[in-house]
Amino acid sequence: MTPEAAKLCKDIENAFGSVPYPGDDDIVVHLDWESQETRKILKGKHWRDVPFDDLGGWLRDITPLLSPAGFHFYLPAFMTLTVVDYRRADIIPDAIFLLLTPRELTDYDEKQRKFEEFAETHPEAAKFSAEEWRQINEPMRDMCRTGTAQRRFDARVSRFTQEQAKVIRRFIEYIRDTYANDYPDDAPQKALDRYWNRF
């Protein structure tokens, strides 16, 4: 691990070390089986005690299932894994950027355009027609139009202290600078530009 990565991990630990456990009933938002399984696995565990093997395995998909309190508490585990073993983290940084970036209607327009482009050039691989994808995409656009997406974002990030927000900004910058080629969509930069550069 580089000295920069080691310092970032230490700063994550310092910034988030005193965040209280959210309680067994406030780890996840929903009652579906996947959320309940996530709750069962994380129940009673401090973020420092969740093994990297678990985070890099099944738990790598769970960040969107976490409640705002659960996300606040377990985010440092996901950030640390990403810094320490980026390849094992797999989709975790993508999920973090998705949850830490305010959504805009243009994001969904861009997804639609990219899907239509893909479906046109790879019709055998496209699982949906352009119209079906539009129907899938539309509820997300509605969340943006009605302000629901912004309210969810605000609920997620309002818990962070200034120190935590600064560490999150540094984490995003570190991933952007270290793994720029993995983000042709500039997801880390979007997160910074839309919110985190203020810290």
Side-chain angles (χ1 to χ4, degrees):
M1 183 178 341
T2 68
E4 180 186 10
K7 178 161 182 7
L8 182 53
C9 288
K10 184 174 177 15
D11 292 345
I12 291 169
E13 167 70 35
N14 291 338
F16 287 88
S18 63
V19 174
Y21 176 70
D24 296 345
D25 295 328
D26 199 11
I27 295 172
V28 295
V29 176
H30 303 289
L31 298 175
D32 61 87
W33 73 268
E34 195 174 23
S35 296
Q36 291 311 307
E37 192 62 29
T38 298
R39 180 180 167 274
K40 201 182 320 177
I41 291 168
L42 295 177
K43 185 177 176 179
K45 284 189 180 154
H46 194 280
W47 65 263
R48 288 183 204 96
D49 300 327
V50 180
F52 275 5
D53 286 341
D54 289 351
L55 289 171
W58 187 78
L59 289 179
R60 74 177 184 266
D61 297 333
I62 62 119
T63 51
L65 304 176
L66 297 172
S67 68
F71 184 72
H72 184 213
F73 186 74
Y74 288 105
L75 177 62
F78 290 106
M79 290 193 305
T80 302
L81 170 63
T82 301
V83 172
V84 171
D85 195 346
Y86 179 79
R87 295 296 164 216
R88 185 191 291 180
D90 191 34
I91 64 169
I92 290 172
D94 298 325
I96 291 172
F97 297 141
L98 182 68
L99 294 171
L100 292 178
T101 305
R103 300 284 98 204
E104 295 179 357
L105 277 173
T106 55
D107 295 335
Y108 302 109
D109 296 338
E110 180 67 9
K111 280 184 182 179
Q112 185 69 34
R113 186 190 64 70
K114 283 183 178 178
F115 177 80
E116 288 173 3
E117 235 174 56
F118 175 79
E120 192 175 299
T121 57
H122 301 86
E124 71 289 347
K127 294 182 182 182
F128 308 104
S129 70
E131 183 54 35
E132 289 168 325
W133 181 252
R134 190 174 283 100
Q135 289 172 7
I136 292 168
N137 208 10
E138 196 56 33
M140 294 180 279
R141 289 177 56 82
D142 284 344
M143 284 181 26
C144 238
R145 272 192 222 103
T146 62
T148 302
Q150 186 64 46
R151 285 190 296 279
R152 287 183 180 176
F153 175 81
D154 292 343
R156 210 174 292 120
V157 301
S158 65
R159 296 174 174 270
F160 298 124
T161 66
Q162 285 286 319
E163 179 187 14
Q164 291 164 354
K166 287 177 183 177
V167 168
I168 290 168
R169 187 202 75 232
R170 287 186 37 234
F171 165 79
I172 296 169
E173 290 170 341
Y174 173 81
I175 299 302
R176 177 201 60 196
D177 296 345
T178 309
Y179 302 103
N181 292 339
D182 290 350
Y183 298 96
D185 64 347
D186 292 325
Q189 191 61 49
K190 270 186 200 164
L192 291 166
D193 292 344
R194 292 185 187 175
Y195 187 78
W196 298 97
N197 272 337
R198 66 184 73 182
F199 299 102

